[in-house]
Amino acid sequence: MSDTWTAMYCEGWNGHEARPIGLLSREEARSRNEMGDPYSVLIVDDGRPRFILDIAWRQNYLARWTFDNQGRRNTRAVYVRMDGGSLFERKLTEWQYDDGEPDGRRSLPRRTFKRQFNGHTRIYHRSRGGGSGHTSKDEPFEQFVRPAVSFERWGAVLEGADSPPLTVGTPIQHLPFDASAERPWNPPIPFQAPYLDQLLVEEASVVHEDSGTPMRVQHEYLGLLGLPTGKLVACDPTWLKAVEPFTVSVEPGDYPVVEIQIHDESDDYWAGAGYLLRISDQPTSTWEMALRPGQDVSLLEEGHFYGFGVDAGLGCLMDDSAQEPLIAHIDRDLHQLHDEMPLREEFTIPGTDHNLYAYNCYYGDGSYPTWIGRDDSGAVTCFLSDMLIIDNGRPQDGEDTFEQDW
């Protein structure tokens, strides 16, 4: 090991060809670092790749790859930058190679540690034959927090604060750059729903996710939902356990519930694409994912979201204070509840003033996100439970890759 490591800037690492791609100047890398745009840092020791850092500060993202003595990527630690700049290691993946096995093979055995801010860690295992399983444990959150890093001062995520100093070098002969190749990675972006604005406009055109056909938006008013506490819950109404309300609340009151339908051109087919709780008549200018306490979008993987769980194919919005009375009522006779709860109509929990409007979830059991709309001043305009049946314009790629895990 040398006393000095050499840093080179690039677009990323091509594992199949075992070389960096897209050479960047120091000035370009520094500019991207300041603007939050993606770039990579290759760190070489005695002519051998030792680390590569993929950095995108706009998404508060840093991934640190390490290489084994054959130049193969064998670990990846993914950090999220928190308030104040410190880094939390939210995920660590370790790959296991046989002698002579090439970098990047999808079938490699691996172990992944996924960490939450509450100290809970889930450990996923995948064997060479494709079998998998998982365990979990609790670990101190502080154990996985690293000090803030800055441009060309990455010691906290390398060998620690005492790592050798860095010099900025040029490509070395046996690691030629492919200057024309595109960046091979992107920072993870949670699920996006660019169609939300269209769902608020009757007669707007959207595309059905499954069929790919154009559909027209129509609204059907269902009634007023009482929010005596202003704390909202989205859930399966037959769920027998209370869930925490969203962190964003509104003034107590009665608010209109609207079913957002999509219809085909002949009106022979329609489906519920979303369920809207309208808080104000002001135009919605921004959207955000509705979160419960402890949820953080910076911990989401590519294309993932936080949603409410569905076990009976049903969803609803209700006030937080309605949960316990509903659970007590359901506990007497779940089958009777199905008979007495009309879909898309007001249901008042017997013996209370609490009400809700149950609806069918398009894909049945699973998880569905809720979005919060805000006006130009930042005030809440609506909550929208999304049934995920509108094409969001992103390609569907179900093929596993080396970089993907759990």
Side-chain angles (χ1 to χ4, degrees):
M1 180 184 298
S2 63
D3 294 331
T4 301
W5 291 344
T6 301
M8 293 174 279
Y9 301 104
C10 58
E11 298 284 6
W13 181 262
N14 184 324
H16 179 70
E17 298 182 6
R19 64 178 181 177
I21 61 176
L23 176 64
L24 300 176
S25 69
R26 187 179 190 180
E27 293 71 23
E28 172 65 17
R30 186 187 298 275
S31 174
R32 293 194 188 186
N33 186 83
E34 293 173 355
M35 297 295 294
D37 296 332
Y39 73 103
S40 294
V41 187
L42 174 65
I43 297 174
V44 175
D45 176 25
D46 280 339
R48 181 173 64 86
R50 186 172 182 87
F51 303 99
I52 191 160
L53 307 179
D54 297 331
I55 300 172
W57 291 134
R58 185 173 293 119
Q59 287 78 27
N60 293 312
Y61 174 85
L62 185 150
R64 183 214 64 210
W65 297 84
T66 65
F67 294 82
D68 65 13
N69 57 12
Q70 296 184 39
R72 303 171 298 192
R73 295 168 295 172
N74 62 349
T75 75
R76 179 181 61 179
V78 176
Y79 296 91
V80 58
R81 185 171 62 173
M82 303 185 295
D83 292 343
S86 59
L87 300 171
F88 172 59
E89 184 189 285
R90 66 180 180 88
K91 185 168 69 169
L92 173 67
T93 303
E94 302 169 336
W95 287 269
Q96 300 170 358
Y97 291 88
D98 284 341
D99 288 342
E101 197 167 20
D103 177 291
R105 185 168 284 178
R106 293 195 301 269
S107 60
L108 287 173
R110 67 189 66 174
R111 182 172 61 170
T112 296
F113 300 81
K114 290 187 69 174
R115 315 187 200 281
Q116 299 294 322
F117 288 125
N118 62 7
H120 188 70
T121 298
R122 293 181 73 88
I123 308 161
Y124 297 85
H125 310 264
R126 181 178 294 177
S127 67
R128 188 172 295 276
S132 61
H134 69 270
T135 58
S136 62
K137 62 180 178 179
D138 292 322
E139 302 175 290
F141 166 81
E142 296 78 11
Q143 180 177 338
F144 303 103
V145 176
R146 304 288 180 265
V149 297
S150 58
F151 189 71
E152 297 187 348
R153 295 182 178 272
W154 299 292
V157 294
L158 303 179
E159 295 288 317
D162 297 328
S163 59
L166 295 173
T167 61
V168 178
T170 57
I172 54 181
Q173 186 173 5
H174 71 282
L175 286 177
F177 278 81
D178 182 349
S180 62
E182 296 181 357
R183 186 176 68 250
W185 65 276
N186 286 299
I189 299 175
F191 180 77
Q192 304 292 299
Y195 47 78
L196 295 176
D197 287 340
Q198 294 164 277
L199 292 182
L200 297 185
V201 180
E202 290 202 84
E203 299 303 322
S205 178
V206 294
V207 176
H208 196 291
E209 173 72 16
D210 292 337
S211 66
T213 57
M215 308 286 283
R216 289 181 297 104
V217 174
Q218 292 189 14
H219 291 174
E220 181 173 331
Y221 171 73
L222 301 184
L224 293 175
L225 177 68
L227 293 183
T229 70
K231 298 178 180 179
L232 186 67
V233 171
C235 66
D236 182 332
T238 67
W239 197 264
L240 294 175
K241 183 179 179 181
V243 299
E244 292 183 287
F246 295 130
T247 56
V248 174
S249 59
V250 296
E251 288 293 322
D254 297 329
Y255 297 98
V257 178
V258 175
E259 180 178 56
I260 302 175
Q261 303 173 355
I262 57 171
H263 292 249
D264 66 11
E265 293 182 357
S266 65
D267 272 333
D268 291 334
Y269 168 82
W270 72 271
Y275 294 85
L276 179 73
L277 184 67
R278 195 181 299 281
I279 305 301
S280 84
D281 292 328
Q282 293 300 310
T284 298
S285 57
T286 63
W287 295 93
E288 65 194 57
M289 193 178 298
L291 304 174
R292 296 197 297 270
Q295 295 178 335
D296 190 304
V297 292
S298 63
L299 293 178
L300 289 173
E301 302 289 341
E302 174 73 22
H304 288 199
F305 58 83
Y306 293 111
F308 64 92
V310 171
D311 263 353
L314 301 177
C316 76
L317 298 169
M318 71 171 79
D319 190 81
D320 180 37
S321 63
Q323 292 194 87
E324 292 300 341
L326 179 62
I327 292 170
H329 179 68
I330 291 175
D331 202 36
R332 289 196 292 271
D333 192 338
L334 182 59
H335 294 290
Q336 179 182 335
L337 179 71
H338 279 280
D339 293 336
E340 66 184 7
M341 181 184 289
L343 293 179
R344 305 168 55 243
E345 296 181 16
E346 183 179 21
F347 172 74
T348 301
I349 302 170
T352 77
D353 294 328
H354 297 296
N355 71 337
L356 61 90
Y357 296 83
Y359 50 80
N360 275 319
C361 295
Y362 184 84
Y363 288 113
D365 297 350
S367 182
Y368 298 85
T370 300
W371 306 94
I372 300 172
R374 295 184 185 270
D375 62 22
D376 286 337
S377 71
V380 175
T381 60
C382 63
F383 291 82
L384 195 163
S385 285
D386 185 0
M387 296 296 99
L388 302 174
I389 65 174
I390 308 299
D391 189 344
N392 69 355
R394 302 189 69 182
Q396 301 295 316
D397 183 5
E399 182 181 359
D400 290 337
T401 68
F402 172 72
E403 290 81 4
Q404 290 171 338
D405 39 51
W406 292 272

